[in-house]
Amino acid sequence: MEPGKFAGERMAESNPKWKVATSRLKELYQRPNDIRSPFARDYNRILHCTAYRRLKHKTQVFFATSNDHICTRIEHVSHVASVSHTIAEFLGLNTELTAAIAIGHDVGHAPFGHAGEEILREIARENLGDTFWHERNSLRFVDKCETLPDDAGVEQNLHLTYAVRDGIVSHCGEVDDEALVPRDEAIRLEELTEASAVPPFTWEGCVVKVADKVAYLGRDIEDALTLSILTEDQLAELQHMARDVLGSALEALNTTVVMHEFIIDLCTHSDPQKGIRLSALKFELMKRLRKFSQEHIYQHERLRIYRDYARLIIQSLFKTLLGLYQGRDTLRAVEEKARLYPNLAGGFRDWLWRYSDANPREDSCKLENEILYRLGEERDYRQAIMDYISGMTDAYAIKAFGELTSF
């Protein structure tokens, strides 16, 4: 292996994309003697935002787990950060940029994992004439919803750099790309209409995109083994794959084995001419592992049952809040319902106060984030419900649903 093959492509001041990559929708306040790079500052801003904190109680694959040793969304994010750092450092790319993209790539993920995402997509189609995908929602959260106080204590949106925002919205790891090469043009990211419509703008974004897949494949299988949901025949199939591709000395495909094999292969075969890529053998293994997980893990009967439960929860929460709409008087109706549903309606009241024009934005509010919803517009109100529910953790959604069924 040759280290530093991408050093000349690294996102640095010498890179012709640097000015665009470090640009922000709005300039941030500056602190004296700040030693951080623009991307290191982005990393810190994501780390301290509330959407990142909530990832510890969001599903990765197995819903609302009470088993401390089963992967949650925040652990998956840590795995992606680890894998992408190892690859980027060896190749000579910007590890601060990969870290910022990795830590933020799933902050807009729905509760109950991809099942929750599918349910919200159906609701968005029916109620907004739009779609929902977590990569775009992650961009929406870092651009519109998440805030941090500045030096004066005024809450401002995160205002991340273009390169980090781009890496977040284009990170989808659910496709089989034989090689990843960044695009040249800087586009309006908020206008993207589907996942994986374009490759990332930077090589670092490409690394995080493939690291996402490397991180979840082995861990999802390991969690399935921990929960004993695989049959003897399925276990034998895994062992056969291991012997086929990795050699007879390896009898299992656990997290560390999968990560190591793919990381080393990526570092060996990637180059600036051919892109971030795997060998043909390891690329085939990746496709086989994805197919195995899709058939035997993600469609397992226990997950299908819980998916129905998640659908009941999310649809019930949406319908309950939708029924409170009264135009400009909506906030009053939500406040009245908060006496009965303190978590669901009380939390939603606070959300509307923060993001809608119901907030008079007096100086005492110390808010400079964008007004997202005009309560006189019913579509804005429906979008507010979508945003509120998509930001929930599994646990909070279940608690809010419990209020609807308790007397």
Side-chain angles (χ1 to χ4, degrees):
M1 289 190 298
E2 177 189 347
K5 287 184 286 186
F6 285 75
E9 308 294 331
R10 184 178 186 272
M11 186 48 63
E13 290 188 49
S14 58
N15 192 307
K17 292 182 175 180
W18 174 260
K19 185 176 181 180
V20 172
T22 56
S23 65
R24 303 179 186 273
L25 294 175
K26 179 182 177 182
E27 287 305 309
L28 284 175
Y29 64 93
Q30 297 297 317
R31 288 191 171 124
N33 303 317
D34 197 332
I35 61 174
R36 296 170 297 173
S37 73
F39 304 134
R41 196 171 184 192
D42 283 357
Y43 176 91
N44 292 146
R45 292 180 73 74
I46 297 169
L47 179 68
H48 291 295
C49 78
T50 56
Y52 174 78
R53 299 174 194 174
R54 291 195 295 267
L55 295 177
K56 63 179 174 288
H57 294 304
K58 288 197 175 191
T59 289
Q60 172 59 16
V61 172
F62 297 97
F63 301 102
T65 179
S66 58
N67 186 325
D68 291 339
H69 301 146
I70 298 300
C71 191
T72 61
R73 185 64 55 176
I74 202 166
E75 188 177 351
H76 163 72
V77 165
S78 297
H79 286 160
V80 174
S82 173
V83 172
S84 58
H85 176 89
T86 301
I87 297 170
E89 185 174 48
F90 182 84
L91 296 179
L93 293 169
N94 189 318
T95 56
E96 290 183 338
L97 175 53
T98 57
I101 296 170
I103 199 175
H105 81 277
D106 269 354
V107 292
H109 219 297
F112 308 114
H114 288 289
E117 183 173 9
E118 292 168 9
I119 297 161
L120 286 175
R121 186 177 299 122
E122 294 169 5
I123 291 174
R125 189 181 303 118
E126 180 179 345
N127 291 272
L128 296 170
D130 198 0
T131 188
F132 178 93
W133 38 290
H134 77 268
E135 295 90 350
R136 185 174 73 168
N137 203 51
S138 293
L139 180 67
R140 179 174 176 81
F141 263 71
V142 298
D143 278 357
K144 306 286 189 182
C145 300
E146 290 303 307
T147 65
L148 289 174
D150 63 14
D151 282 355
V154 177
E155 294 284 332
Q156 294 190 13
N157 289 118
L158 300 188
H159 304 310
L160 303 179
T161 60
Y162 181 87
V164 173
R165 296 172 59 242
D166 169 82
I168 288 171
V169 77
S170 61
H171 81 260
C172 178
E174 303 304 314
V175 293
D176 290 317
D177 297 298
E178 293 193 33
L180 287 170
V181 176
R183 70 180 192 277
D184 292 325
E185 69 280 8
I187 60 177
R188 289 179 57 85
L189 302 174
E190 59 273 19
E191 294 178 358
L192 290 172
T193 57
E194 59 180 320
S196 288
V198 295
F201 183 64
T202 64
W203 284 107
E204 288 82 359
C206 293
V207 167
V208 175
K209 184 178 174 76
V210 73
D212 186 28
K213 197 182 301 185
V214 171
Y216 75 69
L217 280 174
R219 186 52 196 265
D220 292 354
I221 291 171
E222 187 170 305
D223 284 351
L225 293 172
T226 299
L227 295 172
S228 301
I229 68 170
L230 298 178
T231 67
E232 291 296 325
D233 287 344
Q234 291 161 2
L235 292 172
E237 183 179 345
L238 277 178
Q239 291 174 344
H240 182 70
M241 271 191 268
R243 287 193 294 270
D244 266 1
V245 181
L246 306 179
S248 58
L250 292 171
E251 291 293 323
L253 289 171
N254 58 35
T255 305
T256 56
V257 167
V258 170
M259 284 184 179
H260 175 77
E261 293 294 327
F262 284 137
I263 288 171
I264 298 303
D265 197 78
L266 282 161
C267 289
T268 300
H269 292 91
S270 297
D271 64 64
Q273 288 71 45
K274 296 181 180 178
I276 304 296
R277 59 193 289 270
L278 290 163
S279 65
L281 190 64
K282 295 296 170 56
F283 183 63
E284 182 61 29
L285 174 62
M286 180 172 279
K287 289 195 295 184
R288 289 174 66 182
L289 287 174
R290 286 193 64 211
K291 184 174 184 292
F292 176 91
S293 296
Q294 187 65 38
E295 292 177 354
H296 303 309
I297 299 177
Y298 309 144
Q299 299 301 321
H300 192 275
E301 180 182 8
R302 287 170 64 181
L303 288 179
R304 288 202 302 271
I305 293 170
Y306 211 102
R307 195 155 28 242
D308 292 339
Y309 178 49
R311 181 178 301 279
L312 176 63
I313 290 174
I314 292 175
Q315 288 181 342
S316 298
L317 298 182
F318 186 88
K319 289 177 181 177
T320 299
L321 294 177
L322 184 60
L324 300 179
Y325 183 70
Q326 296 183 18
R328 297 295 307 171
D329 292 329
T330 295
L331 189 61
R332 178 184 56 79
V334 173
E335 287 175 336
E336 290 178 359
K337 191 62 72 173
R339 299 191 189 99
L340 186 61
Y341 304 144
N343 287 293
L344 176 61
F348 189 52
R349 172 201 58 209
D350 297 342
W351 185 271
L352 292 178
W353 182 255
R354 187 179 186 85
Y355 297 108
S356 78
D357 58 355
N359 186 341
R361 298 299 171 106
E362 297 171 354
D363 290 343
S364 60
C365 295
K366 290 188 177 291
L367 287 169
E368 274 194 7
N369 59 293
E370 180 182 347
I371 291 176
L372 298 183
Y373 321 114
R374 307 285 176 181
L375 291 187
E377 301 290 333
E378 185 172 359
R379 191 183 189 283
D380 278 14
Y381 180 73
R382 294 178 182 220
Q383 182 66 59
I385 303 173
M386 285 286 298
D387 292 342
Y388 177 56
I389 293 177
S390 72
M392 289 181 177
T393 64
D394 298 14
Y396 192 87
I398 292 170
K399 182 189 294 186
F401 177 72
E403 293 177 337
L404 304 182
T405 58
S406 299
F407 295 96

